[in-house]
Amino acid sequence: MSVRVQFEDFDVGAEIFRIRQSDKKVGAVASFIGVVRDLNEGDEVSTLTLEHYPAMTEKALLEIEAEAKKRWDIYDSLIVHRVGTLKPLDQIVLVVVSSAHRGEAFQACEFLMDYLKTKAPFWKKESTPSGDRWVDARSTDDAAAERWK
Amino acid sequence: MKLKLVFLAKLRERFGASEEILVVDSESPTVSDIINLLVARGGAWAEELSVDRSYRIAVNQEMGGFETLVGDGDELAIFPPVTGG
């Protein structure tokens, strides 16, 4: 179980390799990569700036991982989240989960993303031709997190 | 008692500060009491922290609610619903 918050990009292959190699019991590795899109709510997005609450972020992410570990029989997990200014096609977030079988890995990976989107203290601000604006939270994200209750 | 207030994202911009030390004349106020003190300042405070606005609270880096008690030296963060990922 580990989490990282960083400005730098991440190497998906290297991160997955590390999780896959860590334990001979691993039979499945699931991963998710979130990427900056060039369009949001009909407007062109030139850059996306991510802010977080440094004192709380790692703790919140570790709690989400601990919750996943309680619910599914997973071996390891990793969350890497970037902050700072990003542009379309840049990677924002990586979640990797290992387990013996795919079902647990897929579910835990989706759970981690759904919880991260509603509980981890990150905020996005996007630059569009009509100015900068904070991204509003979506009710669909709340609904996605709600179904794991 | 003294509290450290932390404001993030849109609220940091609206309040023009990322943190402040608030001296409170009460021994064990709730989050709700603190919010009321801030709303009484008027302007952006009253607007952003009004009952029809959506915002979140963390006390000592744990999500909290209006009834959460705060004590001397605690860190109370106020921020918009999160949008990471």
Side-chain angles (χ1 to χ4, degrees), chain A residues 51 53 122-125 134, chain B residues 9 12-13 62 75 80 83 85:
Chain A
E51 170 177 332
Y53 177 15
F122 292 99
W123 298 273
K124 288 182 181 134
K125 189 179 200 179
W134 289 97
Chain B
R12 171 176 49 76
E13 289 184 350
E62 292 279 353
E75 180 168 302
T83 56

Side-chain angles (χ1 to χ4, degrees), chain A residues 10-149:
Chain A
F10 47 80
D11 178 342
V12 174
E15 302 295 352
I16 291 178
F17 179 81
R18 196 168 319 131
I19 299 269
R20 181 166 66 77
Q21 287 287 304
S22 63
D23 192 332
K24 284 186 178 160
K25 298 196 298 289
V26 170
V29 179
S31 63
F32 173 87
I33 302 151
V35 178
V36 181
R37 281 177 301 137
D38 67 349
L39 203 68
N40 193 27
E41 290 174 8
D43 294 313
E44 214 174 293
V45 175
S46 54
T47 62
L48 185 69
T49 302
L50 276 133
E51 170 177 332
H52 72 131
Y53 177 15
M56 178 175 172
T57 317
E58 289 200 0
K59 191 162 140 183
L61 293 174
L62 286 167
E63 280 171 14
I64 295 169
E65 283 192 329
E67 185 60 34
K69 180 115 186 164
K70 255 197 269 171
R71 294 178 183 222
W72 291 280
D73 192 10
I74 57 176
Y75 297 143
D76 201 2
S77 67
L78 167 71
I79 300 173
V80 183
H81 204 299
R82 293 178 70 191
V83 290
T85 299
L86 307 176
K87 56 186 192 311
L89 294 178
D90 280 352
Q91 308 184 112
I92 306 175
V93 60
L94 170 68
V95 173
V96 185
V97 181
S98 67
S99 63
H101 306 287
R102 71 182 184 285
E104 306 262 297
F106 273 137
Q107 283 194 34
C109 188
E110 193 169 18
F111 167 87
L112 288 172
M113 267 317 293
D114 285 347
Y115 264 42
L116 182 155
K117 292 213 72 123
T118 53
K119 298 183 192 304
F122 292 99
W123 298 273
K124 288 182 181 134
K125 189 179 200 179
E126 53 194 15
S127 288
T128 72
S130 48
D132 290 357
R133 65 185 185 200
W134 289 97
V135 174
D136 283 326
R138 294 168 198 257
S139 55
T140 48
D141 288 334
D142 288 331
E146 221 27 63
R147 73 204 157 104
W148 298 105
K149 291 239 162 102

Side-chain angles (χ1 to χ4, degrees), chain B residues 54-67:
Chain B
S54 173
Y55 55 90
R56 303 283 182 267
I57 302 290
V59 176
N60 297 330
Q61 302 87 43
E62 292 279 353
M63 296 301 282
F66 288 114
E67 301 313 311

